[in-house]
Amino acid sequence: MKDASLATFPDVIDVEKLKGIFVKHKVQGAHLTIFCVDKVWSNGGLANGSFARGLDLAFISSQRGPNTSAHESGHFLGYYSKSASKPWDSQGHTLETDPKTGKENRAEDIKMLMRGGGAGWKIPFNLVKEFRDFPG
């Protein structure tokens, strides 16, 4: 196409197919660039958001929830985590574990920011410590 101003994007952005176009428009000096689009196609279906691993790009759908941007930013933090397990890396989602039993607390799942299928608001403190050093 000689005149790029005539180009239009589809209503649904397929992250895997189009991330190469978006990477050219990253904000210089920013750690993470978030693109707001109408609809996001990721991992074989429509999604509220998606993180393009290794490119420092996130895509947020107009059908997003109130915590979608925070959730996708959590994948960014997980990708750069110094943790050996990298619990939030790329598609990583996590549940809080009960400190007494060591088992996942399924009742807490709906509250967790990094749960699969939609974001809550809660971040377990033990994971926060993996992403930021606190003095003292």
Side-chain angles (χ1 to χ4, degrees), residues 6-91:
L6 300 175
T8 59
F9 280 109
D11 290 341
V12 180
I13 299 300
D14 186 326
V15 173
E16 281 304 308
K17 289 181 181 175
L18 296 175
K19 64 185 178 186
I21 292 171
F22 283 91
V23 78
K24 297 174 189 174
H25 299 283
K26 287 174 56 171
V27 175
Q28 291 295 327
H31 295 284
L32 174 66
T33 299
I34 298 176
F35 291 99
C36 298
V37 299
D38 188 25
K39 295 182 182 89
V40 174
W41 185 269
S42 182
N43 297 317
L46 290 173
N48 286 344
S50 181
F51 173 64
R53 185 177 188 219
L55 297 178
D56 303 335
L57 302 176
F59 297 85
I60 307 298
S61 164
S62 62
Q63 289 80 38
R64 71 200 173 281
N67 302 337
T68 304
S69 295
H71 176 92
E72 297 309 327
S73 297
H75 286 304
F76 168 79
L77 290 173
Y79 182 72
Y80 289 102
S81 168
K82 293 179 174 71
S83 164
S85 65
K86 291 188 173 280
W88 295 351
D89 184 15
S90 189
Q91 295 304 312

Side-chain angles (χ1 to χ4, degrees), residues 48 71 109-110 112-120:
N48 286 344
H71 176 92
D109 181 41
I110 195 165
M112 300 301 287
L113 176 66
M114 297 307 295
R115 73 181 181 98

Side-chain angles (χ1 to χ4, degrees), residues 94-106 126:
T94 186
L95 295 173
E96 187 172 82
T97 54
D98 184 310
K100 294 178 184 173
T101 65
K103 294 184 178 182
E104 291 178 340
N105 185 350
R106 296 274 174 194
N126 66 317

